Amino acid sequence: MTKKIFLLLALILLTATTNVEAAENDSPFDILTSTYTEGANEILALVKAKEDGSLGFAMLDVSAKSIAFVNYSRELYDFYSKENPIVFGLMLPDQKRGELDDNLGLWKENFHIMPVYAAFKVASGQVICQKPFYSASSPQAASYQEEIKNPMHVRLIETLLTHMPRLHEQVQAKGITLP
């Protein structure tokens, strides 16, 4: 189910089909809002599964045709108001083994789930990532000491962090109430 969500979201947002409404009606999720702007390469979207109503964040890198997903939590949504490092699970569909970061997290066939420890600062309302980002070999790790090296993973994490203030604006503009 999760893989299907990623592929449909990518299809809708990456191909810019002329019939996006029809494609979205057939998908198992709703895109509640996103940071999409004309010509942007990175997008952060707030999505809701039609089946169970669960919320999540989808990060897309249009130029590289990559996508990742993170489960919604209020703590993650509001992370930049506290300026403490955050920890979350980055879910990466359609990953191939033999690339950087293979030893991090866990694999379910070609679906890679990687814990992420990310530090940042906020200046003038903008999130500034403090790299490198870190991970571990297990999602239940007590410490995160392995550097995330895959540039695509780094870009997707940066998209989540740096686009979150803009996503807040979109959520507020659309009157979306979140738990």
Side-chain angles (χ1 to χ4, degrees), residues 10-32:
L11 176 65
I12 291 168
L13 294 176
L14 294 176
T15 62
T17 66
T18 56
N19 198 353
V20 171
E21 186 176 313
E24 191 170 351
N25 287 338
D26 292 339
S27 74
F29 65 93
D30 291 314
I31 300 170
L32 300 179

Side-chain angles (χ1 to χ4, degrees), residues 18-130:
T18 56
N19 198 353
V20 171
E21 186 176 313
E24 191 170 351
N25 287 338
D26 292 339
S27 74
F29 65 93
D30 291 314
I31 300 170
L32 300 179
T33 192
S34 77
T35 62
Y36 175 77
T37 56
E38 186 74 30
N41 280 325
E42 293 87 22
I43 301 165
L44 175 62
L46 177 65
V47 297
K48 181 177 182 179
K50 289 178 181 176
E51 183 178 299
D52 64 5
S54 62
L55 298 172
F57 302 107
M59 295 80 66
L60 294 93
D61 186 311
V62 177
S63 61
K65 296 184 179 179
S66 287
I67 189 166
F69 182 79
V70 176
N71 288 329
Y72 170 87
S73 73
R74 189 67 194 205
E75 180 183 0
L76 182 58
Y77 180 68
D78 291 333
F79 79 88
Y80 64 95
S81 65
K82 297 180 183 130
E83 291 199 44
N84 295 326
I86 56 170
V87 176
F88 56 90
L90 184 69
M91 295 177 275
L92 302 147
D94 295 327
Q95 294 288 290
K96 295 178 183 165
R97 290 185 184 253
E99 297 183 9
L100 296 173
D101 302 336
D102 273 5
N103 61 326
L104 304 176
L106 62 91
W107 288 84
K108 292 183 179 181
E109 297 178 15
N110 63 344
F111 194 83
H112 191 182
I113 303 169
M114 186 170 46
V116 175
Y117 175 93
F120 61 93
K121 289 188 178 193
V122 178
S124 301
Q126 300 295 314
V127 176
I128 301 165
C129 299
Q130 294 184 310

